[in-house]
């Protein structure tokens, strides 16, 4: 199998993760995997931004609860970089429903509820580009590999 290309993806530690004091645990798992944090910020998501983020889910039965939850307190937004970062981050995050997420994943080990499922992670490179732009200006993304350094 060919080595994946270097990608960027968006992760949100949702308000339940912040409230439960799991920011370090979640970010630590992603960092230890080898994903690089190229931007990070804590913010409270306004309803307008939440609606843009989750536009694809508008009209679904769980949409009101989703918007209510994601705007209910501060989140930590991360831009992560690495080979196949989108798929690798989704693997570490686990299935959307924590009740069936595999042990060893963030949701499988640490969450039980479907709406308070601790993290959001972009599901494709296109979604990642769109979602990263919702939370970070281009100049806020700070790659820290040295010029000429081999990417691992
Ligand atoms: P997230 O990865 O942030 O994307 C959409 C969110 O909607 C999802 O995580 C869940 O928190 C929430 N959600 C609630 N119910 C459902 C459902 N039945 N299917 C998918 N997502 C759901």
């Amino acid at each position: 199998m060919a080595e994946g290309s270097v990608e960027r993806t968006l992760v949100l530690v949702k308000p339940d993760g912040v409230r439960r004091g799991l920011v370090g645990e979640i970010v630590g798992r992603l960092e230890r995997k080898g994903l690089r944090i190229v931007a990070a910020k804590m913010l409270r998501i306004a309803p307008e931004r939440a609606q843009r983020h989750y536009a694809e889910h508008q009209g679904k039965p769980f949409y009101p609860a989703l918007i209510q939850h994601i705007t209910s307190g501060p989140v930590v937004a991360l831009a992560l970089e690495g080979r196949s970062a989108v798929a690798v981050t989704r693997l570490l995050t686990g299935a959307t429903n924590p009740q069936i997420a595999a042990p060893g994943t963030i949701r499988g080990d640490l969450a039980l509820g479907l709406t308070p499922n601790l993290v959001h992670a972009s599901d494709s490179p296109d979604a990642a580009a769109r979602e990263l732009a919702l939370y970070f200006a281009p100049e806020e993304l700070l790659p820290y590999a040295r010029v000429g350094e081999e990417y691992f």
Side-chain angles (χ1 to χ4, degrees):
M1 194 180 126
E3 204 164 33
S5 54
V6 177
E7 298 172 344
R8 286 178 178 166
T9 192
L10 175 84
V11 167
L12 297 178
V13 180
K14 295 185 180 184
D16 52 311
V18 174
R19 263 184 221 115
R20 290 175 58 197
L22 291 173
V23 172
E25 168 76 30
I26 292 166
V27 176
R29 286 177 179 227
L30 298 165
E31 272 194 301
R32 290 199 298 275
K33 178 66 176 175
L35 294 160
R36 295 175 173 184
I37 300 170
V38 295
K41 68 171 75 160
M42 191 172 208
L43 72 152
R44 178 104 183 236
I45 301 177
E48 302 71 40
R49 186 173 353 207
Q51 286 157 17
R52 278 199 287 157
H53 181 133
Y54 284 124
E56 68 184 290
H57 296 303
Q58 202 164 4
K60 295 181 184 172
F62 59 85
Y63 179 78
L66 172 60
I67 299 298
Q68 198 285 328
H69 177 60
I70 203 71
T71 59
S72 68
V75 304
V76 173
L78 302 164
L80 300 179
E81 183 183 89
R83 292 198 184 277
S84 303
V86 174
V88 167
T89 301
R90 296 276 293 185
L91 267 180
L92 265 60
T93 300
T96 301
N97 183 351
Q99 293 157 43
I100 56 167
T105 65
I106 291 167
R107 291 173 177 146
D109 288 348
L110 303 169
L112 199 55
L114 186 48
T115 299
N117 64 352
L118 286 180
V119 279
H120 168 80
S122 307
D123 66 4
S124 68
D126 282 352
R130 184 181 70 80
E131 293 174 3
L132 284 166
L134 268 179
Y135 294 92
F136 297 106
E139 63 271 19
E140 291 180 301
L141 303 172
L142 305 172
Y144 53 80
R146 281 188 290 268
V147 174
E149 181 188 351
E150 192 184 345
Y151 208 101
F152 52 86

